[in-house]
Amino acid sequence: MQPGPELAPVQTCLDSEWGREHGADLRSRMRQIIRQYTDSADAVHELELALGEAFANAVEYEAYAPGKRLALELAVDRTRATLELRYPGNPFTLADGRLPASDSIHGRGIVIMKECTDHLAFKFKKGVILVQMIKYWP
């Protein structure tokens, strides 16, 4: 692998009306960018998983409607990746971090995102949800 540039500017990977069918493409775009900066297959896989969960939550709970937009920005350097996913939505209360009952079909996404990243934050501003994830690598 050739080392990536010293610091990549923020790259907008997505800013459009997207639905469920675009999650794989979004993860693929992110993976192509991140692989320029790290050989860590584990870090890339964990970020893909975390982004997939964040995207699925956005589509499932808030943004899957005509005219609504999702935006993903990605900043990467030789030590970390920072992802910010923005979508329209209302504030919510985070669960306590425990997994739901084994027969539940919901409630694992944020737990998975926490486990796969080094930093996870949710911010709520004027009808917009911002999910920020940071992953460091060796």
Side-chain angles (χ1 to χ4, degrees):
M1 177 187 92
Q2 292 282 11
E6 227 20 73
L7 178 65
V10 171
Q11 300 183 39
T12 300
C13 298
L14 161 70
D15 185 7
S16 65
E17 296 176 30
W18 278 30
R20 288 179 174 87
E21 67 276 12
H22 298 98
D25 186 47
L26 179 62
R27 290 189 307 274
S28 175
R29 289 182 191 192
M30 182 200 68
R31 180 176 51 249
Q32 290 171 356
I33 294 167
I34 291 175
R35 282 187 174 163
Q36 297 175 46
Y37 294 88
T38 183
D39 285 330
S40 175
D42 288 342
V44 173
H45 175 73
E46 288 172 347
L47 274 173
E48 282 185 87
L49 184 55
L51 176 60
E53 291 296 332
F55 183 80
N57 286 345
V59 170
E60 179 73 21
Y61 296 110
E62 298 292 349
Y64 193 57
K68 290 192 175 183
R69 299 177 76 83
L70 295 162
L72 174 70
E73 291 186 350
L74 172 63
V76 187
D77 66 27
R78 292 183 184 175
T79 62
R80 72 179 178 272
T82 301
L83 289 78
E84 291 189 350
L85 181 67
R86 284 187 310 281
Y87 55 94
N90 299 307
F92 57 87
T93 302
L94 292 174
D96 60 11
R98 292 182 292 176
L99 287 172
S102 61
D103 60 346
S104 175
I105 60 171
H106 294 286
R108 292 171 182 79
I110 293 174
V111 174
I112 291 169
M113 291 163 50
K114 284 180 183 178
E115 289 295 318
C116 290
T117 61
D118 296 302
H119 170 80
L120 174 65
F122 293 86
K123 298 177 183 175
F124 309 102
K125 295 182 180 179
K126 298 181 183 177
V128 174
I129 296 172
L130 170 67
V131 182
Q132 183 185 59
M133 296 177 276
I134 299 174
K135 180 71 178 178
Y136 294 93
W137 42 74

